[in-house]
Amino acid sequence: MQSNAQTLKKSLETLKTTYHQENILKTDPIIFPYRYKNIRDIEIVAFFSSLFAYGNVRSIQSFLESLLEPLGDSPSEEIEKNGKGFQYLLDDPPYYRFQTKNDIKIILR
């Protein structure tokens, strides 16, 4: 008889096998963290992706592209060093659905 932990593990592994495919992942904001290798970049991009993961998939992806593009190859470093791309976002953040530009600035800070 399997323990609850074993049953849960088996169920999660089945879900991972089923859904961890590029053709499925690309329809979800979770695809964005996969662009990065550095754990700090993955974490910040996953955080942003989760915050704005509501609404039409194309809208979400378009917004995240406009948010991440100025941050370059290392969003965590760009934010930490207060770089030009980060300053650009603070000066003129993209708008997304229910969040105002000011809301986006607060999230970025």
Side-chain angles (χ1 to χ4, degrees):
M1 187 162 140
Q2 288 188 331
S3 70
N4 287 342
Q6 290 170 322
T7 301
L8 177 60
K9 181 178 180 180
K10 184 177 178 182
S11 295
L12 292 173
E13 289 295 334
T14 298
L15 287 170
K16 180 180 176 185
T17 301
T18 302
Y19 294 104
H20 196 264
Q21 300 174 40
E22 186 176 351
N23 65 324
I24 293 173
L25 291 175
K26 71 180 178 184
T27 67
D28 191 279
I30 196 63
I31 194 68
F32 288 91
Y34 284 93
R35 294 179 176 179
Y36 305 91
K37 301 289 184 224
N38 180 301
I39 190 67
R40 294 178 70 213
D41 293 327
I42 293 168
E43 287 176 348
I44 192 108
V45 173
F47 176 71
F48 289 151
S49 295
S50 67
L51 283 177
F52 301 103
Y54 65 92
N56 177 283
V57 173
R58 287 189 181 144
S59 295
I60 298 166
Q61 291 176 336
S62 176
F63 171 78
L64 288 172
E65 290 287 358
S66 67
L67 187 70
L68 297 173
E69 194 273 324
L71 299 177
D73 294 334
S74 181
S76 64
E77 186 177 310
E78 182 65 17
I79 291 168
E80 186 176 306
K81 73 176 185 178
N82 208 14
K84 288 181 184 179
F86 183 61
Q87 283 303 310
Y88 170 81
L89 286 174
L90 290 176
D91 291 342
D92 189 23
Y95 163 83
Y96 184 67
R97 295 182 53 107
F98 306 116
Q99 277 77 41
T100 65
K101 288 185 172 214
N102 192 54
D103 294 335
I104 303 300
K105 283 182 187 183
I106 291 168
I107 290 168
L108 289 169
R109 288 192 184 272

